[in-house]
Amino acid sequence: MAGEPVPSGTSRAVSTVDVEAALAVLPGPRTESSVGFEAAWQGALAAIAAAGEIDLICHITPDGDALGSALAAGLALRSLGHRVRVSFGDDPQIIPESLSFLPGQDLIVPADAVPDRPELVLCFDVAAESRLGLLHDKAFAARTLVVFDHHASNPGFGTHRLIDPGAPATAVLVDELLRRLGVDLDQDLATCLYTGVATDTGSFKYAATTPATHELAGRLLATGIRQDLISRQLWDTSSFGYLKVLAGALERAVFEPEEADGRGLVWTWVPYQDLVLFGVTVEEIEGLIDVLRRPAEAEVALVLKQDPDGTLRGSCRSKGTIDVAAACARLGGGGHVYAAGFSSREDVPTVLDRFRAALGSAD
């Protein structure tokens, strides 16, 4: 596929028979019990086997784990002869430039191309129903809705719930899906899965990274993908306009040492006018939070990004002593203990007041 950061030549398939042992060492619950988790797998596989048509969806403004997981599953199911569509609930749909290399994008269709009452929907990396966007009603109208996710804040929606808070990325669950379907890894699948795992582990530096994570990465690399080119596209490539937007956001940054129970909050915001002025999309500035979270004086970092309609999208990070997923849940969002987000139609001062209050009760 054009733009794919892998070398040319025939891909070399690698077996995934070791995935059960790898998943076994991941910490944290998978569902209410291991028996329930296996029952969910069996229900999901039966639904897939019986489906004539499958819609695969992920959350709005998809990141590498969401889109990589959906595309990997879509490619695998297509290789087995299934009719598949991949979509997400934004209008317009924008694929971030950092993810433009992902294989399988010919599977992506607009949200309105998904049937009103789908036969089977597979949902990837969606921590809350609100993150389904325009596909919310269609997903819940489906005969069967299978949810693959790793967010501890997921409330447990869907017909079959494959939710593993111990997994570092939803892509880990998709890797097991491929094994259970009998699909061997090739370079296209590995590119999608590696992108998902690398994205949600912060290039393997976050606390959720385990020995099993590196074992999975090793199997993905063994297909011959170029992780150096993937990483360059994900983290080390931007437009010049992004640098100007970043400069403005850092100039607006505020440090509030008394917030977060005295452990410090650093925040900034990006008005939509800045994006227009410098020709930058809101998706391109997703990584801004990783710059803002660096100060040693602040336990929590928050970036508010403004959409064209005025909606503020908040991305926040914690260094570990405050559960930002719990704080974001109080604002209608969710995520992980260390990384979470939310959306709001209120103005910046109001959102900040609510966020500060939520932090105060999120220890």
Side-chain angles (χ1 to χ4, degrees):
M1 176 164 293
E4 180 189 350
V6 297
S8 60
T10 304
S11 61
R12 178 164 59 88
V14 174
S15 173
T16 58
V17 294
D18 294 330
V19 73
E20 284 184 332
L23 285 171
V25 303
L26 289 171
R30 295 184 172 185
T31 58
E32 292 82 358
S33 68
S34 59
V35 173
F37 196 69
E38 183 57 33
W41 268 118
Q42 295 305 317
L45 293 170
I48 290 171
E53 199 169 67
I54 303 174
D55 287 281
L56 303 94
I57 66 175
C58 59
H59 62 68
I60 55 176
T61 60
D63 58 9
D65 191 27
L67 193 59
S69 294
L71 289 175
L75 287 168
L77 291 168
R78 183 170 66 177
S79 75
L80 296 174
H82 292 279
R83 299 193 305 275
V84 300
R85 288 179 292 259
V86 174
S87 189
F88 53 96
D90 288 309
D91 183 20
Q93 287 181 335
I94 298 174
I95 306 297
E97 184 64 28
S98 62
L99 301 178
S100 62
F101 64 88
L102 285 176
Q105 294 191 38
D106 58 303
L107 296 174
I108 298 176
V109 301
D112 61 12
V114 175
D116 289 337
R117 302 182 70 85
E119 180 180 0
L120 171 63
V121 171
L122 306 183
C123 177
F124 299 91
D125 204 45
V126 178
E129 295 177 23
S130 60
R131 298 285 285 161
L132 290 167
L134 298 175
L135 289 173
H136 177 277
D137 292 347
K138 294 183 177 185
F140 280 88
R143 181 184 307 169
T144 306
L145 172 59
V146 182
V147 175
F148 296 86
D149 191 27
H150 70 126
H151 294 91
S153 62
N154 191 302
F157 61 90
T159 310
H160 305 292
R161 296 175 289 276
L162 291 159
I163 303 168
D164 183 358
T170 297
V172 170
L173 293 163
V174 177
D175 178 60
E176 175 146 347
L177 174 65
L178 268 56
R179 183 196 68 81
R180 289 175 179 257
L181 291 171
V183 177
D184 286 336
L185 292 172
D186 61 19
Q187 288 185 355
D188 282 355
L189 293 171
T191 296
C192 292
L193 293 178
Y194 187 90
T195 298
V197 174
T199 298
D200 264 29
T201 60
S203 194
F204 306 95
K205 66 186 178 184
Y206 293 162
T209 305
T210 68
T213 313
H214 287 290
E215 185 275 340
L216 171 57
R219 289 191 289 107
L220 299 175
L221 294 180
T223 65
I225 60 174
R226 288 283 303 276
Q227 80 278 6
D228 57 330
L229 300 184
I230 293 173
S231 297
R232 183 187 306 168
Q233 185 75 7
L234 289 174
W235 293 289
D236 298 330
T237 301
S238 71
S239 66
F240 180 73
Y242 167 76
L243 299 181
K244 303 296 284 186
V245 172
L246 174 63
L250 295 179
E251 180 64 27
R252 287 186 210 95
V254 176
F255 171 52
E256 300 180 353
E258 71 282 1
E259 297 299 333
D261 196 26
R263 283 166 276 190
L265 165 67
V266 59
W267 65 269
T268 191
W269 79 292
V270 180
Y272 181 66
Q273 289 84 346
D274 277 16
L275 304 182
V276 173
L277 178 62
F278 297 112
V280 174
T281 66
V282 70
E283 290 75 21
E284 192 175 351
I285 63 171
E286 287 300 312
L288 198 158
I289 185 65
D290 293 316
V291 178
L292 198 71
R293 68 195 293 266
R294 296 183 62 179
E297 299 90 338
E299 167 66 19
V300 177
L302 170 68
V303 175
L304 298 175
K305 298 155 287 187
Q306 189 177 48
D307 283 342
D309 65 357
T311 298
L312 291 173
R313 283 195 256 158
S315 295
C316 60
R317 299 290 185 270
S318 166
K319 292 176 180 173
T321 64
I322 289 182
D323 183 352
V324 291
C328 288
R330 293 182 175 89
L331 279 75
H336 305 286
V337 172
Y338 302 144
F342 62 88
S343 297
S344 176
R345 296 302 303 271
E346 298 171 307
D347 59 25
V348 172
T350 301
V351 170
L352 281 168
D353 284 344
R354 294 186 60 207
F355 184 72
R356 294 184 189 105
L359 282 180
S361 54
D363 292 353

